[in-house]
Amino acid sequence: MNIVLLSGGSGKRLWPLSNNIRSKQFIKIFKNADGSHNSMLQRVFEQIKSVDSKAQITIATSKSQVSSISNQLADNVSISVEPCRRDTFPAIALAACYLHDVLHVSAEEAVVVSPIDPYVDKSYFAAFSKLAELAQQPENNLVLMGIEPTYPSEKYGYIIPEGKDTISTVSMFKEKPDAQTAEKYIAQGALWNGGVFAFKLQYLLDKAHELIAFDDYYDLYNKYAELTKISFDYAVVEKEPKITVMRYAGQWKDLGTWNTLTEAMDEQVIGKGILNEACENVHVVNELDVPILCMGLKNIIVAAGPDGILVSDKAQSSYIKPFVDNIIQPVMYAEKSWGSYQVIDMEKESLTIRITLKAGSRMNYHSHEHRDEVWTIIQGSGHTLVDGMEQEVHAGDVITIAAGCRHTIMADTELKIIEVQLGKEINVNDKQKFELEK
């Protein structure tokens, strides 16, 4: 089975633990048996593989999220990278061409597309095989999964089916309504549009060529920035006459706000936190290395990370976005393909960062024109390469790198480093990469 997971989002509604680089699907909140935590991304991946171990998973995402995906899933998935954000139709068209032209998936095979971050049980992904089977039938160009609504939501679009059978043709689509209108839709047997659909790959390739002038995947990739921003629903779904919907009545939640996210948490406190006995319905998610003490609070979320601290009534947390829009500062924490970094101090002519490098990984071989760097190894062992000179390093070693020197570090074990950048012009763009000679 071929599955495309759409990974997007700006991360503003789950600030301060998410940002433009680290969207909600990368926050680790689901507790494992060994006490560690998984993200939504890791949870969805494991659920799919438990249902179909041979499923071919491709993630369609922007450049800014590639490192986080690689960090959490290693090389277990294929990634279709958008050069820039252009909404869901261009993203799905590019992913379809990637499957056909790069991964050489047959145009006759079915593809299931889903958001990357639903909170569901395994029955949701088990239903994908039925969607794919229906998509192979000649009377269906598109097959949607319709979610059985549990309340008259104003947050979702609605699918109105022709009948109330498990599988039905679609009568019409309705945009996000008010609650009263939603009640009327539900009385007609309407379903939530959860953004899950299946098609034969050839169908989507034909649609892409019909709506966009391009030759193949590589040509489409190069023209991507010129494409019109348009959703898959507007471009394809609402114009398709041969369309079927399959009802899904299992667990399904959109964990898009702190209020809904805490409903899915297995524990009240993640990280260092203490709640006294007078607290009611309080959750703490703390990524800082300092304790948080809550006393006598009710219906509160406390989220703390390198980018800031949120203390909010849970219902009010849904309205965080306009306030986050006014917070302008550099990203203080990010995951990379080689590990992660966290900014721990910022001065006028210095920047201090804590770096974690995964065992077997290395940084790019690079140089900086306008700053010196000092690396202090605080845990683990590895090798540095500075202007061609290799050196073993261990905890306690200090490496000084002058501006203009080419340098990298390779981790034999997990490495933790304190990096101090020194200079009058410290800028993320002050970096030149080089090929590492073998």
Side-chain angles (χ1 to χ4, degrees), residues 26-45:
F26 306 118
I27 302 173
K28 295 185 177 182
I29 61 160
F30 300 110
K31 192 171 184 179
N32 298 315
D34 62 1
S36 63
H37 292 83
N38 271 358
S39 66
M40 297 184 208
L41 168 67
Q42 291 168 319
R43 184 176 187 270
V44 163
F45 177 81

Side-chain angles (χ1 to χ4, degrees), residues 254-395:
D254 175 17
L255 306 184
T257 65
W258 280 115
N259 194 16
T260 55
L261 189 68
T262 54
E263 291 175 0
M265 287 174 56
D266 297 322
E267 51 202 326
Q268 285 185 275
V269 177
I270 297 176
K272 293 184 177 180
I274 301 169
L275 310 180
N276 80 337
E277 64 279 0
C279 286
E280 295 179 17
N281 191 27
V282 174
H283 283 81
V284 174
V285 184
N286 183 12
E287 292 189 338
L288 301 178
D289 196 27
V290 293
I292 293 174
L293 171 61
C294 298
M295 302 183 68
L297 300 178
K298 294 178 174 61
N299 306 317
I300 295 293
I301 172 65
V302 180
D307 284 356
I309 298 172
L310 170 72
V311 181
S312 174
D313 171 82
K314 288 189 175 180
Q316 285 295 308
S317 68
S318 301
Y319 306 104
I320 191 176
K321 188 175 180 291
F323 296 95
V324 176
D325 287 338
N326 293 323
I327 299 174
I328 302 173
Q329 68 173 33
V331 173
M332 305 294 282
Y333 173 87
E335 293 183 356
K336 308 294 285 184
S337 57
W338 42 259
S340 64
Y341 73 83
Q342 179 180 329
V343 176
I344 56 177
D345 185 65
M346 297 174 66
E347 302 291 343
K348 186 176 180 181
E349 296 184 6
S350 72
L351 183 69
T352 304
I353 303 171
R354 181 188 291 117
I355 296 171
T356 300
L357 199 65
K358 296 186 297 185
S361 298
R362 68 171 179 85
M363 295 182 187
N364 293 314
Y365 194 40
H366 63 282
S367 68
H368 310 287
E369 184 178 352
H370 300 293
R371 70 174 186 253
D372 301 330
E373 289 183 350
V374 180
W375 290 347
T376 302
I377 310 300
I378 59 174
Q379 181 180 308
S381 60
H383 292 75
T384 59
L385 187 65
V386 180
D387 275 350
M389 186 172 71
E390 189 169 347
Q391 171 186 343
E392 276 191 27
V393 290
H394 304 275

